Amino acid sequence: MTTDSVKRAESTPDEPMPFAELGMKQDEYDRVKEILGRRPTGSELAIYSVMWSEHCSYKSSKVHLKQFATKAPKSDALLVGMGENAGVVDIGDGWAATFKIESHNHPSYVEPHQGAATGVGGIVRDIMSMGARPIAVMDALRFGGAHQDDTRRVLPGVVEGISHYGNCLGLPNIGGEVAFDPCYIGNPLVNALCVGLLRKDQIKLATAPGPGNKVVLFGASTGPDGIGGASVLASATFEDESQAKRPAVQVGDPFMEKLLIECCLELYAADVVVGIQDLGAAGVSCATTELAAKGTGGMHVDLNQVPLRDPSLRPEEILMSESQERMMAVVRPSDIPAFMAICAKWDVPATVIGEVTDTGRLVMTWHGETIVDIPPGTAADDGPVYERPFHEPAGQAALNADTPDALERPADLRATLLQLLGSPNLASKAWVTDQYDRYVRSNTVLAQPADAGMLRISEAIAGAEPTTRGIALSTDGNGRYAKLDPYAGAQLALAEAYRNVAVTGAKPLAVTNCLNFGSPEDPEVMWQFAEAVRGLADACRTLGVPVTGGNVSFYNQTGSTAIHPTPVVGVLGVIDDVAKRVPTGFVAEGLRVALLGDTAAEFGGSEWAHVAHGHLGGLPPEADLEAERSLATVLVEAARRGLLEGSHDLSDGGLAIALAEACLARGIGATVALSGEPFTDLFSESAARALVAVRPEAFDEFAALCAEHEVPCYGLGVTGGESLVVQDVLEVPVSELRDTHTGALPAIFG
Amino acid sequence: MSAARVGVVTFPGTLDDQDAARAVRLVGAEAVPLWHADHDLKGVDAVFLPGGFSYGDYLRCGAISRFAPLMEELIPAARAGLPVLGTCNGFQILCEAHLLPGALTRNASLHYVCRDQRVRVESTDTAWTNAFEQGQEITLPVKHGEGRYVASAETLAEIEANGQVVFRYVGGNPNGAMNDIAGIRNEAGNIVGLMPHPEHAVEELVGAPSTDGLGFFTSILKKLVNA
Amino acid sequence: MARVIVDVMLKPEILDPQGQAIARALPRLGFSGVSAVRQGKRFEIELEGPADDAAIADVRKMAETLLANTVIEDYTVRVEA
Amino acid sequence: MARVIVDVMLKPEILDPQGQAIARALPRLGFSGVSAVRQGKRFEIELEGPADDAAIADVRKMAETLLANTVIEDYTVRVEA
Ligand SMILES: Nc1ncnc2c1ncn2[C@@H]1O[C@H](COP(=O)(O)OP(=O)(O)O)[C@@H](O)[C@H]1O
Ligand SMILES: [Mg+2]
């Protein structure tokens, strides 16, 4: 078999290369030739095509994402910002947290179980590569209509995949979202978040310094996973013999990943790792080019050393394989024996595949011939950058003009409450979350159905420095709001996550985000994207929380129909004394119930308009970020002083749903009275609001705190009894609320 | 007198070992880490086989772990009377090793289930349950995909007749287990296995909304101190 | 180099919820005429040498001690034709 | 009344972590001479009628749509002797 070596490329300058089949444009291919001063070899083309893909290079989004840095609020908490595998935040007492959310949308549509499972696996390796112990996961999910046929195929598979992989890793699942909308049929969203913990001085980076240091590939062996495009290269061009069509589906092995986690942590503790990188999309190509580009600039790799699951793999395929559960480390030669011994203890195969050099070139050999010889930075950092055209969608003005004002208001508010509470988006997600282990590691302070997940820090790592602190996390996003106004929609996503963290008593500190959109080549989608990024960056500045990292997922569309623009935002907060966390809902009888924040008649994109009328139009609720900030200040301070017995944020479905969920938390009813127009008071989705439960004797102090921060505080009533009573409006036994809330998803999914 | 020493076993893929060790320490005993690949019980007074997915739960839960070098030491020691508690995956391993009768199979719902479960203590005559009251109802989390206890009709009749059923699910059976069995013991009562997780119900702040799991650890302490 | 197949099935008296779930789903998917479904495991064991009597005896032991849990499962061993 | 067997195995190029875990465990248990193990599923389908061509075609469709995930698995259908 002939190998397309550099020598061969030099002597066959005009040989046509299948760059188009690999998704590369003519001008991009011309740039590669210009960089190399010759045509690329097949292996070099493999590297450039994947490194310059949208997924790896962010070529369409880069110019916009810059705002997260240029508009970033000053924050002392940020230890590692965007651009690394994950951001790292200072959480005090010498501790740091690293967290990131990432999409695995398309693979989860093709093979729901494995697609979702490997999504979890990938994000966990990102967190490991920062030097951290992963301590929890979350999952933000969007599916087509709950009653649509394909949803019954996709949802159970996705949930099982997340459940199986996360549970096997021993990572508690502490939160997430499940939402349904027909716009996601054919394009489900599977966004997985992982959070990790490390000491501030133990951060690891993806870098390969020190000529002479060894490059070690460890973990699973390399097979033909997810290399769809590469088979074009391996077969069509150079050889006549036809290769079997390679599978696009990656299969995860959570057991191997669990071993990798423990193995990596022991390697870090033994201080035998100079640089480390996980292998995700673009596998060996990505890890070698990025490590080399950030180190002393050179690396020599012998591809024959890569352990293969399938010995027939060609070098191009090895370079592009997305086999899971692999990591690459840079190790001092003197540390190799210790490194290998730790890998052996954990049954993790490890192989030296190369060496760091100071040549400034990434050189790879195959059976002694040089098949890659490139400046690594040109693949890793100097990818193409597009200023894609964008403009407001043709129908946007009409969409915004079609307000919900004309929709008929319900006569029976009790029936409306039950209708919403039993609708798929608002119903209990226990069918999903009961499949997730939320207890493992015994540090889970709050998990579903709490507004935010919360973990104690002190015991998270055996023998660790004691601290009373905890961290809280929430992810949120509302595609309908973003469809109506992507600028405001992104801000509302941040506001909700920020609020969900604050109601537990934690102070919001930092942001991660996953931006799920249609095709960037559609100027109308690109406008949605640009607006969402602008909105999120502005909101982060106002709220004083920097973006630490994230992920962009484009091409979520079927034909020319894109999903609703769906920015999903994750917020991480810190609580100084985790014992002071505020549980979600009404936890005792006889507590005063108060509503914080003002309510206006805001029904654009609301759950009521969606469920009762199938309507989407008008404008989303106003994103009043100053009000969000004051609200959070009050909630965090009140928790610190021990004034709150329970709380719950208001979001989809408004006050009515918040009251019902608060009653369901412990099966304790409440009697409340409204002061305004009942329908608006109960179902409007105005932002910057929360429900609190306060001991009567603490109420005056709490009200004074609200007044001090100009947060409106309305006493609504008191907890207790067997029913939720809204005086003169409705009364529903808690048991009926429960049946409606918990029965909905099992009735659909079995 | 030196503290009671409770060994906590780690297999590749064990998940709840830190939790188990923490619970052991909470009652004032010493938690001694035991490693699957060692032929060494380190002279412990009792052994906790924690939950997880040892060997990925591939093949059958507990099937591969049962052959670990450590198990070659543990199996005869347990037969000779060493107190052993297996929770979840630990229970599965004890059944695979034939230290306890029966087997654990795929949940009838075919789904993994994580929830707070009420169970009734049916036997206080064991090394691990002597601090409970007969018939006491406690709340412990369950979290498993293969927890449906099954046994042949004869075995089932035998363990019922011998009083070897230690825990029964009440208020709903999470996995379809025969006779609502959540946990069993050997005849001697030194070996107990159960699907629920006492180690996740020992602190107010974290885990399940109960501290009923503490009883397991105070039981073994009482047993060892009195021994 | 030979291949030996080990089939492992739950004993008939042990409930097989996976098989039952499939049997229940069939009519909904438009399949009739199936009275029962049982789901088990199939192992393909690649031997380095030939499938002679000694090798088969070895695989049988493997099935008995590892691949099947004989408390609840039956197994069969056969050389692939 | 006939019995049809459907064997479902992961496609050869798809990672089989279960099979690998078993293969890795064998030497430790004293079994040598096994080069690879793959684990799949076996379904026993009891038909109400005879296993004629129509019934087999039906089972084949069942395998294709329900029993196997053809994105990652292959299947074979045969009538039990
Ligand atoms: N896919 C999921 N994974 C984990 N937890 C989830 C998931 N979906 C919902 N939850 C949890 O269920 C609870 C209710 O969710 P939801 O009603 O969406 O909350 P909110 O509206 O406050 O964001 C929350 O605790 C949330 O974290
Ligand atoms: Mg909430």
Side-chain angles (χ1 to χ4, degrees):
Chain A
M1 233 186 251
T2 40
T3 299
D4 192 31
S5 63
V6 170
K7 212 190 266 163
R8 188 174 173 279
E10 278 164 347
S11 65
T12 56
D14 301 322
E15 181 154 306
M17 301 294 287
F19 61 86
E21 285 90 327
L22 294 172
M24 207 177 224
K25 300 266 155 55
Q26 179 73 50
D27 57 324
E28 293 172 348
Y29 181 63
D30 291 342
R31 259 202 68 216
V32 172
K33 288 208 289 194
E34 195 184 307
I35 288 168
L36 299 178
R38 57 171 165 79
R39 78 156 173 90
T41 65
S43 297
E44 289 167 340
L45 184 59
I47 293 176
Y48 281 103
S49 72
V50 328
M51 291 306 292
W52 288 6
S53 68
E54 185 67 58
H55 187 81
C56 293
S57 75
Y58 288 81
K59 57 191 167 191
S60 303
S61 53
K62 235 180 199 163
V63 293
H64 299 281
L65 297 179
K66 270 201 317 239
Q67 295 169 72
F68 291 144
T70 56
K71 292 180 179 172
K74 263 193 75 72
S75 165
D76 299 334
L78 198 59
L79 298 174
V80 174
M82 290 192 312
E84 283 295 331
N85 285 315
V88 184
V89 185
D90 188 342
I91 55 172
D93 295 340
W95 287 102
T98 174
F99 73 126
K100 190 180 176 189
I101 187 165
E102 205 163 73
S103 66
H104 229 215
N105 302 340
H106 186 65
S108 301
Y109 172 70
V110 176
E111 213 304 286
H113 181 114
Q114 293 299 341
T118 54
V120 174
I123 192 65
V124 167
R125 285 192 301 282
D126 266 322
I127 294 307
M128 275 155 63
S129 68
M130 298 308 297
R133 172 179 276 284
I135 55 170
V137 293
M138 300 174 73
D139 56 317
L141 311 177
R142 303 287 184 283
F143 301 101
H147 292 281
Q148 284 181 282
D149 272 348
D150 204 43
T151 300
R152 282 175 214 232
R153 171 186 72 97
V154 174
L155 181 142
V158 163
V159 171
E160 230 180 70
I162 293 169
S163 149
H164 181 64
Y165 207 100
N167 293 349
C168 276
L169 291 188
L171 294 177
N173 186 310
I174 59 166
E177 303 162 74
V178 182
F180 302 90
D181 192 291
C183 76
Y184 302 109
I185 200 82
N187 292 281
L189 304 185
V190 175
N191 293 179
L193 179 149
C194 181
V195 57
L197 197 63
L198 68 165
R199 297 294 293 172
K200 247 168 87 169
D201 51 14
Q202 287 172 348
I203 298 171
K204 292 274 180 244
L205 295 177
T207 166
N213 283 340
K214 301 294 182 192
V215 178
V216 185
L217 183 63
F218 61 118
S221 55
T222 299
D225 307 75
I227 54 175
S231 45
V232 182
L233 265 175
S235 58
T237 4
F238 312 111
E239 311 294 336
D240 279 335
E241 89 224 37
S242 62
Q243 296 242 346
K245 179 101 177 66
R246 300 296 198 181
V249 179
Q250 310 135 31
V251 171
D253 179 358
F255 174 54
M256 177 57 86
E257 181 116 330
K258 168 68 179 168
L259 298 182
L260 263 184
I261 293 176
E262 300 305 330
C263 178
C264 280
L265 288 164
E266 227 174 288
L267 293 170
Y268 299 152
D271 198 19
V272 292
V273 173
V274 176
I276 188 154
Q277 166 80 302
D278 59 298
L279 275 73
V284 172
S285 296
C286 182
T288 53
T289 53
E290 289 192 351
L291 281 171
K294 289 204 194 120
T296 14
M299 187 181 285
H300 185 280
V301 171
D302 179 3
L303 275 186
N304 291 109
Q305 300 306 314
V306 173
L308 301 180
R309 194 171 86 229
D310 172 351
S312 74
L313 286 192
R314 304 280 301 148
E316 300 84 354
E317 296 177 308
I318 296 171
L319 285 167
M320 289 178 104
S321 162
E322 297 189 349
S323 286
Q324 301 290 299
E325 292 96 21
R326 297 180 297 166
M327 302 282 286
M328 191 175 283
V330 175
V331 182
R332 284 178 293 265
S334 55
D335 289 333
I336 287 285
F339 187 102
M340 294 298 174
I342 291 171
C343 290
K345 171 181 169 191
W346 289 101
D347 285 332
V348 171
T351 315
V352 174
I353 64 161
E355 195 170 298
V356 177
T357 66
D358 55 6
T359 60
R361 310 285 293 184
L362 172 63
V363 176
M364 298 191 185
T365 56
W366 179 250
H367 293 301
E369 288 187 84
T370 300
I371 55 166
V372 171
D373 186 352
I374 64 171
T378 60
D381 307 321
D382 306 338
V385 176
Y386 291 148
E387 300 254 7
R388 297 221 186 250
F390 59 84
H391 59 73
E392 189 179 289
Q396 194 70 27
L399 182 68
N400 294 145
D402 175 23
T403 72
D405 296 350
L407 302 178
E408 192 186 335
R409 290 343 193 211
D412 182 348
L413 296 184
R414 184 184 195 278
T416 301
L417 166 60
L418 291 171
Q419 184 189 16
L420 287 188
L421 194 64
S423 70
N425 283 335
L426 297 183
S428 166
K429 302 305 181 317
W431 190 91
V432 172
T433 56
D434 280 1
Q435 297 187 47
Y436 302 154
D437 183 351
R438 58 184 178 274
Y439 292 127
V440 63
R441 304 193 67 73
S442 293
N443 293 306
T444 306
V445 176
L446 297 173
Q448 64 80 19
D451 286 321
M454 188 182 284
L455 299 163
R456 77 172 160 193
I457 297 304
S458 186
E459 303 255 330
I461 296 176
E465 211 82 0
T467 170
T468 58
R469 290 170 196 255
I471 56 172
L473 283 148
S474 176
T475 73
D476 286 287
N478 184 319
R480 288 197 309 264
Y481 290 173
K483 171 83 174 177
L484 297 179
D485 180 348
Y487 181 88
Q491 299 203 326
L492 287 163
L494 171 63
E496 188 179 344
Y498 178 93
R499 197 185 319 131
N500 273 320
V501 164
V503 292
T504 66
K507 182 173 156 34
L509 263 196
V511 173
T512 184
N513 68 100
C514 191
L515 304 172
N516 305 277
F517 288 77
S519 165
E521 296 164 39
D522 176 343
E524 299 191 342
V525 169
M526 206 55 215
W527 176 82
Q528 294 173 330
F529 181 78
E531 283 294 288
V533 172
R534 192 170 66 85
L536 184 54
D538 287 347
C540 286
R541 180 156 61 180
T542 308
L543 292 178
V545 284
V547 172
T548 64
N551 174 242
V552 176
S553 171
F554 280 132
Y555 300 102
N556 295 289
Q557 63 180 54
T558 307
S560 61
T561 312
I563 59 165
H564 290 342
T566 311
V568 170
V569 179
V571 169
L572 178 137
V574 172
I575 184 164
D576 291 343
D577 182 354
V578 70
K580 293 193 170 161
R581 88 290 187 197
V582 181
T584 296
F586 302 149
V587 298
E589 310 232 337
L591 300 175
R592 294 274 302 269
V593 176
L595 170 66
L596 309 184
D598 278 324
T599 306
E602 296 184 288
F603 290 101
S606 70
E607 205 58 48
W608 167 73
H610 178 67
V611 171
H613 296 279
H615 177 268
L616 177 58
L619 287 171
E622 186 195 348
D624 182 345
L625 300 169
E626 293 300 342
E628 296 287 357
R629 201 177 159 96
S630 304
L631 176 64
T633 304
V634 163
L635 290 165
V636 172
E637 175 60 17
R640 198 186 64 79
R641 292 194 210 162
L643 299 177
L644 300 180
E645 301 304 308
S647 62
H648 192 23
D649 88 302
L650 267 64
S651 57
D652 306 347
L655 178 64
I657 295 299
L659 283 169
E661 289 174 346
C663 290
L664 287 171
R666 305 277 168 98
I668 294 171
T671 299
V672 299
L674 304 173
S675 52
E677 193 273 308
F679 172 70
T680 300
D681 275 358
L682 286 174
F683 295 102
S684 162
E685 296 187 2
S686 293
R689 295 184 302 163
L691 206 53
V692 292
V694 184
R695 267 174 293 111
E697 62 276 20
F699 197 83
D700 287 346
E701 183 184 348
F702 178 72
L705 178 65
C706 290
E708 183 191 326
H709 292 278
E710 294 177 35
V711 171
C713 171
Y714 304 99
L716 291 185
V718 53
T719 65
E722 312 262 283
S723 296
L724 170 61
V725 180
V726 180
Q727 276 168 358
D728 306 324
V729 180
L730 59 82
E731 173 166 354
V732 190
V734 175
S735 59
E736 188 176 349
L737 293 174
R738 167 147 294 130
D739 291 345
T740 305
H741 192 237
T742 56
L745 291 194
I748 300 170
F749 298 104
Chain B
M1 194 194 95
S2 65
R5 300 174 73 240
V6 179
V8 177
V9 183
T10 302
F11 295 96
T14 294
L15 305 177
D16 299 319
D17 45 351
Q18 297 301 325
D19 317 52
R22 184 187 292 125
V24 166
R25 288 192 301 268
L26 265 179
V27 297
E30 183 189 348
V32 180
L34 300 179
W35 181 242
H36 72 104
D38 294 341
H39 278 278
D40 188 359
L41 288 174
K42 298 190 180 161
V44 294
D45 306 309
V47 169
F48 193 127
L49 283 172
F53 291 72
S54 58
Y55 293 95
D57 271 355
Y58 293 139
L59 187 54
R60 281 182 320 279
C61 304
I64 301 180
S65 319
R66 141 196 182 202
F67 293 102
L70 185 85
M71 291 301 291
E72 288 173 26
E73 308 304 315
L74 182 60
I75 290 170
R79 291 223 166 92
L82 182 73
V84 179
L85 180 71
T87 62
C88 198
N89 198 220
F91 185 17
Q92 292 160 344
I93 294 169
L94 290 173
C95 288
E96 283 283 342
H98 307 304
L99 288 172
L100 291 173
L104 294 147
T105 58
R106 186 87 187 266
N107 293 352
S109 67
L110 302 180
H111 291 302
Y112 182 99
V113 58
C114 173
R115 73 183 197 203
D116 303 322
Q117 174 72 44
R118 267 189 316 133
V119 295
R120 188 171 56 236
V121 183
E122 302 274 44
S123 165
T124 54
D125 203 10
T126 82
W128 300 92
T129 57
N130 59 60
F132 293 110
E133 309 269 315
Q134 182 78 25
Q136 187 180 343
E137 286 191 9
I138 60 178
T139 299
L140 300 174
V142 292
K143 32 168 231 174
H144 58 250
E146 307 198 15
R148 180 170 52 99
Y149 183 79
V150 300
S152 67
E154 310 83 76
T155 306
L156 203 59
E158 199 179 298
I159 60 174
E160 289 285 4
N162 288 347
Q164 283 177 252
V165 175
V166 184
F167 298 103
R168 242 184 266 276
Y169 300 116
V170 288
N173 178 334
N175 51 35
M178 286 178 164
N179 295 12
D180 296 330
I181 290 174
I184 56 172
R185 46 172 270 200
N186 65 344
E187 274 191 78
N190 64 309
I191 307 176
V192 173
L194 77 165
M195 287 315 295
H197 289 262
E199 76 283 8
H200 292 320
V202 293
E203 291 177 273
E204 252 356 301
L205 181 64
V206 295
S210 113
T211 53
D212 293 340
L214 279 174
F216 288 77
F217 302 93
T218 50
S219 291
I220 188 66
L221 213 56
K222 212 162 98 186
K223 160 90 183 166
L224 294 176
V225 170
N226 291 344
Chain C
M1 277 215 356
R3 172 181 290 180
V4 182
I5 309 292
V6 179
D7 287 322
V8 175
M9 299 299 292
L10 282 171
K11 293 190 169 170
E13 66 271 22
I14 301 280
L15 175 74
D16 170 19
Q18 309 198 62
Q20 288 190 344
I22 294 165
R24 272 198 308 274
L26 289 176
R28 261 189 287 121
L29 303 177
F31 297 106
S32 58
V34 170
S35 58
V37 177
R38 290 187 72 79
Q39 177 173 340
K41 294 175 193 154
R42 173 190 161 92
F43 299 91
E44 297 181 356
I45 317 272
E46 309 284 343
L47 301 180
E48 277 160 10
D52 52 21
D53 283 359
I56 295 291
D58 240 27
V59 173
R60 204 169 278 287
K61 221 174 104 202
M62 211 180 282
E64 178 83 24
T65 53
L66 180 69
L67 301 181
N69 176 353
T70 52
V71 173
I72 50 169
E73 293 169 327
D74 294 325
Y75 64 89
T76 60
V77 175
R78 69 201 147 82
V79 182
E80 195 169 62
Chain D
M1 277 219 354
R3 173 180 288 180
V4 183
I5 308 294
V6 180
D7 286 324
V8 175
M9 300 297 293
L10 282 170
K11 293 187 176 177
E13 67 272 18
I14 297 279
L15 175 71
D16 173 16
Q18 304 221 48
Q20 288 194 348
I22 297 165
R24 273 200 305 270
L26 289 176
R28 265 186 288 119
L29 308 184
F31 295 106
S32 57
V34 171
S35 58
V37 177
R38 290 185 74 79
Q39 177 173 341
K41 296 176 194 151
R42 172 190 160 94
F43 298 91
E44 297 182 354
I45 318 270
E46 309 286 344
L47 300 180
E48 277 159 9
D52 54 19
D53 283 0
I56 295 292
D58 242 27
V59 172
R60 204 169 279 286
K61 227 174 99 201
M62 218 178 275
E64 177 83 25
T65 53
L66 181 67
L67 303 181
N69 173 357
T70 53
V71 176
I72 52 174
E73 294 169 327
D74 293 328
Y75 64 89
T76 59
V77 174
R78 69 201 149 82
V79 181
E80 196 168 62

